[in-house]
Amino acid sequence: MNSRAPENVLIAHGHRLTEPRQRLIAILSQWPSRFSAGELVKAARKAEPPIGRATVFRTLGLLLELGIVERVRGADDSEGYVVARRGDHHHHLVCSSCGRVEDLPLCPVEGRLKELAAERRFQVQGHNLEVYGLCEGCVKADEK
Amino acid sequence: MNSRAPENVLIAHGHRLTEPRQRLIAILSQWPSRFSAGELVKAARKAEPPIGRATVFRTLGLLLELGIVERVRGADDSEGYVVARRGDHHHHLVCSSCGRVEDLPLCPVEGRLKELAAERRFQVQGHNLEVYGLCEGCVKADEK
DNA sequence: CGCCCAGGTGATACTAAGTATCAATTTAGC
DNA sequence: GCTAAATTGATACTTAGTATCACCTGGGCG
């Protein structure tokens, strides 16, 4: 089966596949786009039976750590989450108009960054890049 | 005089140079490194006369908008601020051991990013890059 | 199958980081 | 110095996240 399915990743890392977690994953898998912690808490509270706030945050942290969910920050420093669509290194193109998040699989930083940091004797461990602008749809809407 | 002095930038943008703002700028100019909102609020509250919490946040927002202060995020998603040391486009090398923040004036993203985004028909408005790792001092300390 | 217990849950309470409101005060130009 | 507009500070509220702790349950074991 799909070893990248959240349920399997959870188990592979020695976590239990509890009922609240499964239901939370189900909620997330249906999520259309970016969401905030509060939105997820609200959806979880509305579920039947409801999932507690603490569990939502704990599970969110777990999914974040396992790379199943990613934190996204928009141009205005707004925070949010998205369900990860790829497991490898990538970045995000965040639309500042509609909030949509696209993946940018090719990293425009690698290589160049290494040289720059080496000159400074800075030992790079990782980096985070968020690109913001207008997605194709919003550019068109803007032109009208 | 120095047109990049916070006081002058404030005035140049039509803001008033009030006493609380001046004192807050004075506090910031002495700040050794990265700070959190809470730390600044505490320092402002200890000042004589104290500066109110709301004013601290409003002023912080203003200084952020004017580029006098910058938001910095570490590897662990920790948030913080630093007083900007340069006014042009740059990024940050954040030490995940000591928290020190260095400026990276050469942008390793420009150019490459434009091509990549163009292929995707994404209209780039800006980007944010944080690099984390170990600063020169912490690399040495680590080797011992 | 049923026991057992570590890992997980949910209620509650707490902290940090902001935002909103509004009456009282101050600034800067006239 | 006067006045309008900007700013302040107190207070209350919101969102995000952590801490605690008694209770519950998933799943390995006999």
Side-chain angles (χ1 to χ4, degrees):
Chain A
M1 298 285 121
N2 179 9
S3 66
R4 281 204 46 225
E7 290 84 349
N8 296 329
V9 177
L10 226 47
I11 292 169
H13 282 78
H15 299 288
R16 288 190 183 165
L17 189 53
T18 63
E19 206 225 305
R21 282 177 184 169
Q22 290 187 68
R23 285 192 295 119
L24 222 28
I25 289 169
I27 291 173
L28 284 176
S29 71
Q30 313 262 116
W31 214 282
S33 61
R34 189 154 50 140
F35 59 92
S36 67
E39 286 167 340
L40 184 58
V41 168
K42 203 187 296 176
R45 182 156 29 85
K46 278 204 300 241
E48 197 47 62
I51 304 165
R53 183 182 145 73
T55 299
V56 173
F57 275 105
R58 274 183 306 233
T59 305
L60 195 50
L62 197 55
L63 298 179
L64 218 38
E65 190 185 305
L66 297 176
I68 292 164
V69 157
E70 294 164 346
R71 211 184 280 267
V72 180
R73 297 182 253 243
D76 53 343
D77 280 311
S78 68
E79 304 256 357
Y81 301 90
V82 287
V83 176
R85 273 157 297 195
R86 39 190 318 133
D88 56 353
H89 180 76
H90 65 278
H91 297 292
H92 293 134
L93 301 175
V94 186
C95 181
S96 46
S97 174
C98 69
R100 225 165 68 86
V101 178
E102 293 179 40
D103 289 327
L104 182 69
L106 291 155
C107 178
V109 170
E110 290 300 354
R112 192 87 187 87
L113 173 61
K114 236 173 279 177
E115 306 166 26
L116 288 179
E119 286 168 23
R120 309 282 299 271
R121 300 182 196 289
F122 187 93
Q123 194 175 99
V124 177
Q125 291 174 333
H127 64 266
N128 197 299
L129 171 69
E130 305 276 354
V131 181
Y132 35 88
L134 295 175
C135 70
E136 189 170 2
C138 289
V139 169
K140 279 180 184 158
D142 229 33
E143 282 166 356
K144 281 176 194 163
Chain B
M1 300 284 123
N2 179 9
S3 67
R4 280 202 49 224
E7 290 85 348
N8 296 329
V9 175
L10 225 49
I11 291 168
H13 282 77
H15 300 290
R16 288 187 182 171
L17 189 53
T18 64
E19 205 224 306
R21 282 177 186 169
Q22 291 186 68
R23 285 192 296 120
L24 222 28
I25 289 170
I27 290 172
L28 284 177
S29 70
Q30 314 261 117
W31 213 283
S33 60
R34 189 155 48 140
F35 59 93
S36 66
E39 286 167 340
L40 184 58
V41 167
K42 204 187 294 174
R45 181 155 31 86
K46 278 204 299 243
E48 198 47 59
I51 302 165
R53 185 183 144 73
T55 299
V56 173
F57 275 106
R58 273 183 306 232
T59 306
L60 194 50
L62 198 54
L63 299 179
L64 218 38
E65 189 185 304
L66 297 176
I68 292 165
V69 158
E70 294 164 345
R71 210 185 280 266
V72 180
R73 298 181 251 243
D76 53 344
D77 280 310
S78 69
E79 305 255 357
Y81 301 90
V82 287
V83 176
R85 274 158 297 197
R86 40 190 317 133
D88 56 352
H89 180 75
H90 66 278
H91 297 292
H92 293 133
L93 301 175
V94 186
C95 180
S96 45
S97 175
C98 69
R100 225 164 68 85
V101 177
E102 293 179 41
D103 289 327
L104 182 68
L106 291 155
C107 178
V109 169
E110 290 300 353
R112 191 87 187 87
L113 174 61
K114 235 173 281 177
E115 308 166 25
L116 288 179
E119 287 169 22
R120 309 283 299 271
R121 301 182 196 288
F122 187 92
Q123 193 175 99
V124 177
Q125 290 174 334
H127 64 267
N128 197 299
L129 171 69
E130 304 276 353
V131 181
Y132 36 89
L134 296 175
C135 70
E136 189 169 4
C138 289
V139 168
K140 279 180 185 158
D142 230 35
E143 282 166 355
K144 281 176 192 163

